[in-house]
Amino acid sequence: VIYGCNEHCTYCVVPGVRGVEQSRSMEAILQECLQLAASGYKEVTLLGQNIDAYGRDMSPRRTFADLLHYLNDNLPPDTISRIRYVTSHPRYFSDRVIDAVANLDKVCECFHMPFQAGDDQVLKGMRRGYSYNSYMNIIRKIRAKAPDASICGDVIVGFPGESEEAFQRTLDLMEEVKFDNLNTFAYSPRPNTEAADWDNQIPPEVQSERLQRVQALAVTHALERSQRYLGRVVEVLVEDRNPKNGDEVMGRTRQGRQVFFPGNVDELKGEYAIVKIVEARTWSLVGAIVDNVK
């Protein structure tokens, strides 16, 4: 829905290879959604490198929250019933987007909010434009308005100049948020990026050790977040057969958690099922169908 990126994070090649931000019209996005619905799709994901920048290049100016409301209001019944999006930028994230996720029936309760690091000096070196505290203010607002929403993130460890104390702030932030899912990366120098030329690079063995610590904590939090579903009855949009068990199908909750349960993929694929969750795993759930397909 928006191409390019106007940010210049010191580790990122995107602005140089994808150009400046260009937002598509809301009307064009709606028409593509309707075309997908006509082909049988029920869920769409709105994509943008910095989706919160949507519309700021338009005249008159639009916002990403405007787009969510427009699609929610103009998609007819029995077409697209789930809307997801990636990726948010904490510097530009809007309270109106939280309100849209909390209140609009087609917008799924899922936030992808990369934080990249927990230390303010590392964030400044990355040129991210926010702090530990401002990021946590966003998380607190999400928890207040959409308490059952999933929160996912991205983190980079071993950025140039990251001390052990600075890395500990990343662990502190993870403990405070408890992400449903966290994409973890060790910093790697990219061509034509500022940070690649700095002389305070972190040794690979230190990066690897920090990455392992982040990943271990992320697994602990993901299992904890999965366990909140135990005993619940949830709506699952069935996507396909379980590749490891042909007698099971797999799909996702509105919050994006993958669910496996017994079922006939030929009957259920592309349909909604009402499923009771009986087992919680780190990255997925196991359930049993309890009601007719919606």
Side-chain angles (χ1 to χ4, degrees):
V1 300
I2 178 172
Y3 300 99
C5 183
N6 290 1
E7 303 306 302
H8 292 280
C9 300
T10 56
Y11 55 82
C12 185
V13 300
V14 168
V17 298
R18 296 189 182 172
V20 298
E21 293 163 356
Q22 300 177 68
S23 302
R24 296 174 60 195
S25 72
M26 294 193 293
E27 294 78 9
I29 295 166
L30 175 62
Q31 287 305 310
E32 184 175 358
C33 289
L34 293 173
Q35 290 168 9
L36 290 168
S39 299
Y41 292 93
K42 295 184 178 180
E43 176 180 306
V44 296
T45 300
L46 310 178
L47 298 175
Q49 189 71 26
N50 175 8
I51 205 157
D52 294 300
Y54 176 83
R56 67 180 180 182
D57 59 318
M58 291 178 165
S59 181
R61 190 183 179 98
R62 304 290 188 185
T63 68
F64 181 56
D66 292 338
L67 175 61
L68 291 176
H69 279 273
Y70 177 81
L71 294 176
N72 198 82
D73 293 343
N74 288 280
L75 283 166
D78 301 320
T79 58
I80 299 298
S81 49
R82 284 186 177 185
I83 300 171
R84 303 187 189 279
Y85 66 90
V86 290
T87 300
S88 293
H89 194 305
R91 182 177 183 179
Y92 301 102
F93 191 73
S94 160
D95 289 359
R96 290 189 62 223
V97 173
I98 301 177
D99 292 335
V101 173
N103 299 318
L104 298 180
D105 64 300
K106 294 183 179 69
V107 181
C108 291
E109 298 84 0
C110 183
F111 294 88
H112 184 200
M113 188 70 59
F115 70 100
Q116 307 300 12
D119 181 75
D120 287 352
Q121 287 304 308
V122 172
L123 289 169
K124 184 177 181 180
M126 291 177 167
R127 200 180 289 128
R128 290 292 289 169
Y130 54 87
S131 66
Y132 183 114
N133 287 337
S134 63
Y135 183 90
M136 286 309 307
N137 283 339
I138 294 171
I139 300 301
R140 283 187 281 270
K141 289 177 182 178
I142 291 172
R143 296 288 192 219
K145 293 185 176 182
D148 198 39
S150 63
I151 299 179
C152 307
D154 299 349
V155 62
I156 298 170
V157 303
F159 185 77
E162 181 187 66
S163 65
E164 176 61 28
E165 181 181 12
F167 171 69
Q168 184 61 48
R169 291 294 284 162
T170 289
L171 300 180
D172 292 343
L173 188 147
M174 290 174 61
E175 288 282 15
E176 199 166 351
V177 177
K178 298 186 187 299
F179 291 94
D180 291 71
N181 184 61
L182 186 64
N183 301 314
T184 61
F185 307 93
Y187 169 78
S188 60
R190 300 303 171 94
N192 303 312
T193 60
E194 292 180 48
D197 297 327
W198 296 350
D199 58 9
N200 54 351
Q201 305 291 323
I202 304 299
E205 61 272 17
V206 175
Q207 290 184 324
S208 178
E209 188 267 344
R210 290 177 183 172
L211 186 63
Q212 291 176 39
R213 288 158 65 188
V214 158
Q215 290 172 339
L217 188 57
V219 165
T220 298
H221 292 159
L223 180 58
E224 182 178 334
R225 293 294 288 166
S226 283
Q227 287 170 339
R228 79 188 197 274
Y229 290 100
L230 280 172
R232 285 196 197 179
V233 175
V234 298
E235 176 193 85
V236 177
L237 178 56
V238 178
E239 297 176 351
D240 213 335
R241 190 191 313 272
N242 180 352
K244 297 182 179 180
N245 184 344
D247 295 326
E248 291 185 345
V249 295
M250 62 183 186
R252 293 184 185 275
T253 67
R254 284 179 60 91
Q255 293 87 356
R257 214 42 153 200
Q258 193 168 51
V259 182
F260 299 97
F261 61 95
N264 185 328
V265 70
D266 295 326
E267 297 176 358
L268 295 173
K269 186 173 182 178
E271 303 293 341
Y272 287 104
I274 306 304
V275 177
K276 183 173 183 179
I277 302 304
V278 299
E279 181 184 346
R281 300 172 178 171
T282 302
W283 309 115
S284 64
L285 307 167
V286 179
I289 192 166
V290 297
D291 204 347
N292 293 333
V293 176
K294 290 175 59 179

